[in-house]
Amino acid sequence: MHDSLRPQRILPLAATALLILLLSSCSDSRNATAFNKDWLITHLSAEPATLNPITSTDAYASNINDYIYESLLKRDEKTMELVPVLADSWDISADHLTYTFHLKKDIRWQDGHPFTANDILFSFERIRDPKVDSAHLRNYYQDIDRLEVIDDHTVRYHYRIPYFRALEFCGGIPIVAAHLFSETEDFNQSPIGRSPLGTGPFRFLKWDTGKEIVLVRNEQYWGEKPKLERVVFKVITDSTVALQVLKKGGLDLMSLRPIQWVKQTGSERFHKNFRKIKYYLPTYSYVGWNLRRPMFSDRRVRQAMTMLVNRESILKELLFGLGTIVTGNFYINSPAYNRYIQPYPYDPEGAVALLKAAGWEDHDGDGVLDKDGAPFSFEFLISAGSKFAEQLATIMQENLKQVGIQMGIRKLEWAVFIQNIQQHQFDACTLAWSLSWESDPFQLWHSSQAEKGSNFVGFKNAEADAIIETARKEFDAAKRNVLFHRFHEIIHEEQPYTFLFTTEALVAVARRFQNVQVYPMGLAPREWWATEQQSE
Amino acid sequence: MANYIIKRLLQVIPTLLGITLITFLIIQLAPGNPATLKLQMAGQGEMGESAIAQQIIQQTKELYGLDKPLIVQYLLWVKRVFTLDFGNSFKDHRPVLAKIAERLPITIQLNVISIVLVYLIAIPFGVYSATHADTFSDRALTLFFFFLYSLPSFWVAVLLIMFFGGGDFLDVFPVYGISSIGADSWPFFRWLTDRLWHLILPVTCLTYGGLAYLSRLTRAEMLEVIREDYIRTARAKGLSERVVIFKHALRNALLPIITLLAFLLPAMFGGSVIIESIFSIPGMGQLGFESVLSRDYPVIMAITTISALLTLVGLLISDILYATLDPRIKLE
C-alpha cells in the first residue's frame, strides 16, 4: 500500500521545481517594467482591427491614428475652431459649393517622400471605391461631386449642395501616402493596416498582436515636436486587471469605470501617484420609443413615460452621480444645446393624469391600464453586455408596474439587437449616441430618414424637418444655433426619446505628467511632458 | 488494419462536408449581418443616410461575396478550402490562417501544460482513492476535487490576481499577457522562465477544474479492475502490492482514459474566452468569440472546420490506439 503514496511524493517535488523557476525569473520581470519617464503607457481594452485610416471603423484605431496621421485641418482643442494643419489656408466660394485648399509645402511623409495633392486625390478615390471596405466613410463624402487637383499643392472640392459641415468633412479627410500603393494591390489588405505611416508627430514602431502597439516620436516632424518619446498602447482586456496594473505602475493612463472611480481609487497612495480627472464628452444615452406603435404614437404617452423614469435616482444610484440629465439631442456643453429647457420631473401622478387624458385607464379593473380593450403592455429591448441597460430596465419595469403598465425585458446580442432596431421590430429600446462638436440632426430626426435610416423611432414633424433643412444651409453659427434651440424645444415637447444622461469620462493619469489640460473634447496627451518620477 | 484506416479516413470527408455545410447555413441564417454591422460601426454611431446607406451596404456585401446565393457561396468556400485557403477576415482583411497561426501557439502552450498537469495530478490521486476506497482520505480527496470543480474560473482568476498580482497582498506574478515587454530579444532560458512565470496563474485556472472528473474516472476504473480475477491471482502469486496496482491494475484501468485522448486534439485548438479575457492572452478563444460577435464568417468557418477535422482525426487515433493496446479489440 505504500506505493500509493507516490503522487504525494511527486507533487512537492514539482512544486519546488516551479518555485525555483519562479524565483529565478522574479527579478527579470521587475527590470522589464522599469521604463523611461518620457514614455506614456496607456491602456487599450481591445485591439483595433486595422490601423488603415480609411478602412478602420473602431475608436481604438482612430485614437491611435490621431498620433500618426494628419489631415488638412483639425478642430483646435481650445477654441473649437477649424485650424489649418497640412493646409496653409483655404478659400470657400460664395455659394459654398467649392472648397480650395492650399497645401503647406515641404511636408514629408515619415519615409521622406514629399506630401502632395496627389495623396489627397488617391485617398479620396479609395474612400469612394466600392472595392474598398470603407462603407462608414463613404457615407460622409456622398455630396462631393469631384475632387480637382489644381497643382501639386492645391486641391479643390466641388460639392453638389451647400452644407454647413462640408468644410469639416472635406478638410478632415483621412489621408494616406499614395506612393505606398501599387495599382494591382488590394487596398484592404495593404500593409499600412499593420504598420501605418503618416505625416504626424509620432511614427509607428511595432504592433504585437494582442499585446501592445508602440509609437515613437517623429524626429523629423514638420511642426512642434512632442516632448513624449514614446506612446505605448497596452492591450489589457479586463478593466479590473488594468486598474491593478495601473496601481503597480505598469500604466500611466486609463479610463475608469464609475465604480472604480468611486470605490477603488480613493486611497492616499493612489492619490499620491495619480490624478483623477473627469470631464464631459459629447455622448448621451436615451430610451427610444417606437412611434409606429399605437401606444407610443401619442405625445402625451411619451411625456408620461419620461415622467415615470426617475432619472435623478438612477443617475445617483447606478452611475454614482457621475453625469447629468439631458433634455435634448445636442451636446450639453455646445452652443447648440438649449439650456433654458428643464427636464421633465419624476412625477408618477402627473404621468397617470397624462395617460388618462390619452385614454389609458384601468377600465376592466385587472390592475393594467387599457384602451379600446388593449392592455398597455410592451417589450423593452436591451443589448446583452450592457450592465447599465439591464439595471435601468429592471428599475423601469418596477416603476411602470406601479401605475399599471406591463413592461417585458428582452435581451439580445448586439448584432441581433441592431438588426431588430433597424427593421423596427421593437417597442422601446435603450442606446447611446456619440456626437461630434457640431452635430447635424438630419440623420437622426429628419422624416426622410425614418424608413431606412437612423431615425429608427420614426419621428416625423414638419416644423422639425423645415428647421433641419434650413440649418444645413446656414453658415452662420449663431443663426444656426437659434434654429437648433427651437429644434431642441420641439424634441423636448415631442419626447420621441426619453433622454437620459451624458455621463462623465473618468480617467486616471500618472502625476509625473505635466500640462494635462482638459479640453471640450477631452485630453490631448501629445502635448504632455514628464518630470522625474514623484517619490513615494 | 491499413484497410480500416483508409476506410475511416475516407469517411472523414463526407462527415466534414456535412459539418461545414450545417455550420455555414447556421451562421449565415442567424440574424445579424456583417455588412450592416460595418456601417453601424461608423465613427459617430449613426447609420447613415437611408438611400445611400442601402447602396453602400449592397457594395459591402459584394465586397465580402455575400451577394451570391447561399449554396454558391458555400461551394466557392469548399473550393477554396481544398487549396487550404480559408479566405480573408472581414474585420481586417488579413488571411484567416495567418490570424489563426498568430494565436495558436499560445493556446497550445496553455492547453498542453494544463492537460499534462491534469493527468499528472488526477491519475495518481485516482489510484490512491481506489486503493483507499471509502476511507476518510478517499472521501476528503473527492470532496476537495469537487469543491475545486465547482469554483467558477473567472472568480478564481480574479482572486488569484488580487492576491498574487500586486493588489493589496502579494506581488509575485504578472497579471496580464504571456511575456514581459522586450522578452522576444532575450536569451532562450530567460525568455522561457519569463513565459512560464506568466503562464502560472492562467494555467492554474485552466487546470483545477479538470481534476475532479479525471480522478473520479480513474478511481472507478481502478475499482472495477481490482475486483477482477487476475488481480486476485496476482496477489495470490505473492506479488507485491506495488506491482499488482501499477503493473496489473493501472494498465488495464487506463484503457478507457485513452479514449479521452480523442477529445484532446480539438481541445488543444480551442481556447478559453474567460481566462483569455481576464489575463489579456491573445489566444484562440478570444478570436473565436470576437468573430462570432462581429459575424466574421470566414474566421468562424475556419475555426469550426479545423476543430471538426481535429475531432474526427482524434477519434480515429484513439480507436487505433485502443486496438493496439488491447489485443482483444479488433478493428474491422
Side-chain angles (χ1 to χ4, degrees):
Chain A
M1 280 290 179
H2 292 292
D3 299 291
S4 48
L5 287 172
R6 211 181 240 185
Q8 281 150 337
R9 235 183 274 146
I10 295 168
L11 274 185
L13 243 172
T16 338
L18 273 178
L19 206 68
I20 294 169
L21 264 177
L22 301 188
L23 294 175
S24 65
S25 58
C26 193
S27 52
D28 291 351
S29 68
R30 286 291 153 71
N31 292 339
T33 51
F35 49 76
N36 190 317
K37 74 172 171 66
D38 291 321
W39 293 13
L40 172 71
I41 312 213
T42 170
H43 173 224
L44 277 185
S45 55
E47 219 175 24
T50 165
L51 287 175
N52 182 333
I54 289 180
T55 57
S56 74
T57 52
D58 47 74
Y60 309 110
S62 58
N63 180 15
I64 297 169
N65 279 338
D66 271 354
Y67 291 86
I68 304 170
Y69 287 98
E70 293 175 315
S71 192
L72 298 172
L73 50 73
K74 67 164 186 180
R75 205 169 270 286
D76 185 82
E77 286 92 357
K78 282 176 213 134
T79 62
M80 300 317 286
E81 297 295 323
L82 296 175
V83 293
V85 180
L86 293 181
D88 232 348
S89 63
W90 53 79
D91 313 311
I92 305 169
S93 66
D95 59 2
H96 291 283
L97 288 177
T98 57
Y99 295 79
T100 311
F101 290 90
H102 308 284
L103 311 184
K104 285 200 175 83
K105 293 174 182 134
D106 310 325
I107 295 219
R108 288 177 182 276
W109 291 99
Q110 287 160 355
D111 62 358
H113 261 261
F115 160 74
T116 66
N118 197 34
D119 295 315
I120 303 172
L121 180 67
F122 177 81
S123 308
F124 179 72
E125 282 173 346
R126 292 293 73 71
I127 290 173
R128 306 235 288 190
D129 183 348
K131 286 199 189 66
V132 172
D133 196 2
S134 60
H136 57 294
L137 277 183
R138 214 171 300 150
N139 209 15
Y140 293 106
Y141 295 91
Q142 288 298 327
D143 293 334
I144 300 175
D145 182 42
R146 66 200 161 92
L147 171 63
E148 189 186 347
V149 172
I150 299 190
D151 60 45
D152 263 3
H153 295 96
T154 319
V155 292
R156 182 173 293 153
Y157 288 93
H158 295 267
Y159 266 78
R160 288 196 200 92
I161 49 163
Y163 180 38
F164 81 96
R165 295 189 71 191
L167 177 64
E168 190 178 356
F169 283 152
C170 69
I173 183 174
I175 305 172
V176 295
H179 67 269
L180 295 178
F181 303 90
S182 65
E183 294 230 338
T184 50
E185 184 188 25
D186 177 4
F187 183 81
N188 299 315
Q189 292 184 47
S190 150
I192 68 158
R194 296 287 293 187
S195 59
L197 182 132
T199 58
F202 286 88
R203 50 193 301 162
F204 172 85
L205 183 69
K206 66 165 179 171
W207 177 352
D208 276 351
T209 305
K211 296 180 205 160
E212 57 177 7
I213 295 174
V214 184
L215 312 181
V216 291
R217 182 165 60 201
N218 175 9
E219 301 295 346
Q220 272 80 47
Y221 185 51
W222 59 271
E224 193 190 335
K225 276 193 240 353
K227 300 200 174 61
L228 295 178
E229 228 169 70
R230 275 187 186 203
V231 182
V232 181
F233 298 86
K234 264 192 180 306
V235 182
I236 304 180
T237 38
D238 185 274
S239 75
T240 311
V241 175
L243 181 59
Q244 193 159 320
V245 174
L246 179 91
K247 286 178 178 173
K248 279 167 79 172
L251 282 173
D252 296 321
L253 169 65
M254 76 172 277
S255 300
L256 300 174
R257 288 185 296 148
I259 184 125
Q260 294 176 324
W261 176 276
V262 176
K263 303 245 160 108
Q264 293 156 15
T265 51
S267 72
E268 205 156 296
R269 193 169 142 224
F270 190 88
H271 183 72
K272 219 169 175 180
N273 295 324
F274 297 95
R275 110 180 57 183
K276 295 203 282 182
I277 305 174
K278 54 179 182 174
Y279 50 89
Y280 282 99
L281 282 181
T283 61
Y284 65 87
S285 52
Y286 60 88
V287 175
W289 310 105
N290 190 346
L291 273 59
R292 298 170 194 86
R293 297 284 186 265
M295 61 187 78
F296 296 129
S297 61
D298 190 322
R299 172 177 54 187
R300 288 167 297 186
V301 174
R302 299 193 300 265
Q303 288 173 348
M305 298 308 279
T306 301
M307 287 155 76
L308 287 168
V309 181
N310 192 345
R311 290 180 286 182
E312 259 166 55
S313 122
I314 292 172
L315 179 64
K316 214 170 95 196
E317 303 295 327
L318 297 187
L319 300 169
F320 304 98
L322 296 166
T324 184
I325 297 172
V326 293
T327 57
N329 57 303
F330 296 103
Y331 173 36
I332 189 154
N333 288 334
S334 79
Y337 189 87
N338 188 340
R339 278 177 193 74
Y340 292 102
I341 296 174
Q342 291 302 313
Y344 288 99
Y346 172 61
D347 180 6
E349 281 166 30
V352 170
L354 274 172
L355 288 168
K356 197 170 175 181
W360 290 99
E361 256 184 289
D362 186 9
H363 295 99
D364 53 7
D366 64 350
V368 179
L369 302 186
D370 54 81
K371 182 183 175 181
D372 308 330
F376 199 137
S377 164
F378 71 98
E379 202 172 54
F380 189 56
L381 214 60
I382 59 174
S383 144
S386 164
K387 212 176 240 172
F388 172 73
E390 221 168 295
Q391 291 168 322
L392 173 77
T394 320
I395 293 174
M396 278 174 58
Q397 189 177 41
E398 200 49 46
N399 287 349
L400 294 176
K401 201 165 124 196
Q402 281 162 13
V403 298
I405 298 175
Q406 284 182 328
M407 184 183 106
I409 301 172
R410 193 150 161 242
K411 199 159 86 173
L412 291 176
E413 181 227 349
W414 175 249
V416 187
F417 175 81
I418 275 298
Q419 185 167 332
N420 271 324
I421 283 177
Q422 227 187 8
Q423 295 169 351
H424 309 147
Q425 300 296 318
F426 71 103
D427 301 328
C429 68
T430 182
L431 264 173
W433 290 126
S434 69
L435 308 161
S436 38
W437 176 250
E438 279 185 341
S439 78
D440 174 7
F442 181 80
Q443 291 192 345
L444 291 187
W445 304 107
H446 196 272
S447 59
S448 66
Q449 304 302 306
E451 283 322 304
K452 284 176 173 167
S454 310
N455 183 359
F456 59 85
V457 291
F459 176 70
K460 291 179 184 171
N461 181 295
E463 191 191 347
D465 279 1
I467 292 178
I468 293 171
E469 285 156 25
T470 321
R472 295 194 104 195
K473 287 176 278 189
E474 179 55 69
F475 288 84
D476 180 335
K479 285 186 191 155
R480 210 164 49 230
N481 286 336
V482 173
L483 290 169
F484 283 161
H485 286 179
R486 171 67 195 137
F487 181 81
H488 188 159
E489 278 171 22
I490 299 172
I491 288 287
H492 181 68
E493 187 63 25
E494 292 290 330
Q495 287 289 304
Y497 289 175
T498 289
F499 290 89
L500 297 173
F501 318 108
T502 290
T503 48
E504 283 169 293
L506 312 166
V507 295
V509 186
R511 285 215 177 259
R512 72 172 193 280
F513 292 100
Q514 308 299 315
N515 195 30
V516 179
Q517 310 275 349
V518 179
Y519 297 120
M521 296 291 280
L523 305 174
R526 81 178 67 170
E527 22 175 271
W528 298 355
W529 66 82
T531 52
E532 286 307 321
Q533 186 99 31
Q534 306 268 324
S535 58
E536 288 205 19
Chain B
M1 185 79 160
N3 272 341
Y4 175 80
I5 295 175
I6 291 168
K7 210 168 90 188
R8 282 288 301 268
L9 277 177
L10 287 177
Q11 279 171 1
V12 162
I13 296 170
T15 321
L16 201 59
L17 279 176
I19 293 172
T20 55
L21 178 63
I22 292 170
T23 319
F24 191 85
L25 291 178
I26 289 175
I27 62 174
Q28 291 263 358
L29 297 176
N33 172 324
T36 29
L37 262 185
K38 194 91 179 187
L39 190 61
Q40 276 139 12
M41 297 286 281
Q44 304 180 20
E46 295 166 0
M47 295 174 206
E49 200 168 326
S50 48
I52 297 159
Q54 295 310 310
Q55 183 199 339
I56 291 171
I57 288 174
Q58 193 51 38
Q59 287 172 350
T60 310
K61 277 188 179 166
E62 278 165 34
L63 180 70
Y64 292 164
L66 298 172
D67 53 329
K68 303 183 185 75
L70 270 189
I71 195 68
V72 178
Q73 286 183 44
Y74 178 71
L75 291 176
L76 284 173
W77 180 84
V78 171
K79 195 180 130 199
R80 266 190 288 122
V81 169
F82 267 105
T83 60
L84 277 183
D85 172 14
F86 281 95
N88 295 330
S89 157
F90 291 163
K91 196 174 157 197
D92 55 9
H93 295 274
R94 294 172 65 213
V96 172
L97 282 183
K99 293 185 75 158
I100 292 179
E102 202 172 60
R103 284 158 182 270
L104 198 53
I106 179 58
T107 295
I108 290 181
Q109 283 171 35
L110 275 174
N111 288 334
V112 168
I113 297 177
S114 74
I115 289 169
V116 166
L117 278 179
V118 168
Y119 274 74
L120 279 184
I121 299 170
I123 292 180
F125 277 115
V127 173
Y128 177 88
S129 277
T131 54
H132 297 71
D134 298 323
T135 62
F136 173 75
S137 50
D138 169 34
R139 294 215 177 104
L141 206 56
T142 308
L143 186 72
F144 178 64
F145 280 156
F146 274 95
F147 171 71
L148 288 183
Y149 174 74
S150 59
L151 298 178
S153 62
F154 68 90
W155 180 72
V156 171
V158 171
L159 281 190
L160 287 175
I161 285 174
M162 281 172 55
F163 281 101
F164 297 108
D168 299 326
F169 303 94
L170 297 169
D171 184 6
V172 269
F173 296 109
V175 291
Y176 71 98
I178 46 164
S179 47
S180 300
I181 301 180
D184 291 341
S185 55
W186 292 354
F188 176 74
F189 187 70
R190 192 169 165 211
W191 173 87
L192 183 72
T193 50
D194 176 70
R195 172 61 58 94
L196 290 172
W197 186 242
H198 278 80
L199 291 182
I200 285 174
L201 293 187
V203 163
T204 309
C205 295
L206 289 172
T207 305
Y208 73 83
L211 298 177
Y213 176 69
L214 198 65
S215 69
R216 286 301 285 179
L217 188 71
T218 313
R219 179 182 181 275
E221 294 297 335
M222 276 299 281
L223 281 179
E224 206 157 292
V225 172
I226 283 174
R227 281 190 218 107
E228 294 284 339
D229 290 345
Y230 59 81
I231 296 295
R232 199 182 312 136
T233 313
R235 286 208 175 108
K237 270 201 311 194
L239 291 179
S240 75
E241 190 63 22
R242 170 196 197 128
V243 177
V244 172
I245 296 294
F246 286 97
K247 195 168 173 200
H248 295 266
L250 185 59
R251 276 199 182 180
N252 286 299
L254 280 181
L255 273 177
I257 291 166
I258 286 161
T259 10
L260 281 179
L261 284 170
F263 301 101
L264 285 185
L265 264 184
M268 296 283 172
F269 182 72
S272 157
V273 183
I274 296 171
I275 296 303
E276 286 176 15
S277 308
I278 294 180
F279 290 99
S280 306
I281 295 170
M284 293 297 297
Q286 278 192 17
L287 182 67
F289 186 60
E290 280 166 17
S291 62
V292 171
L293 288 188
S294 62
R295 303 291 188 269
D296 196 342
Y297 297 161
V299 177
I300 306 176
M301 282 307 291
I303 292 178
T304 334
T305 311
I306 295 173
S307 37
L309 183 69
L310 290 178
T311 312
L312 295 172
V313 171
L315 280 171
L316 178 60
I317 291 177
S318 74
D319 283 357
I320 295 168
L321 272 181
Y322 221 79
T324 327
L325 294 177
D326 189 345
R328 288 169 299 182
I329 296 168
K330 285 221 160 40
L331 299 174
E332 281 315 326

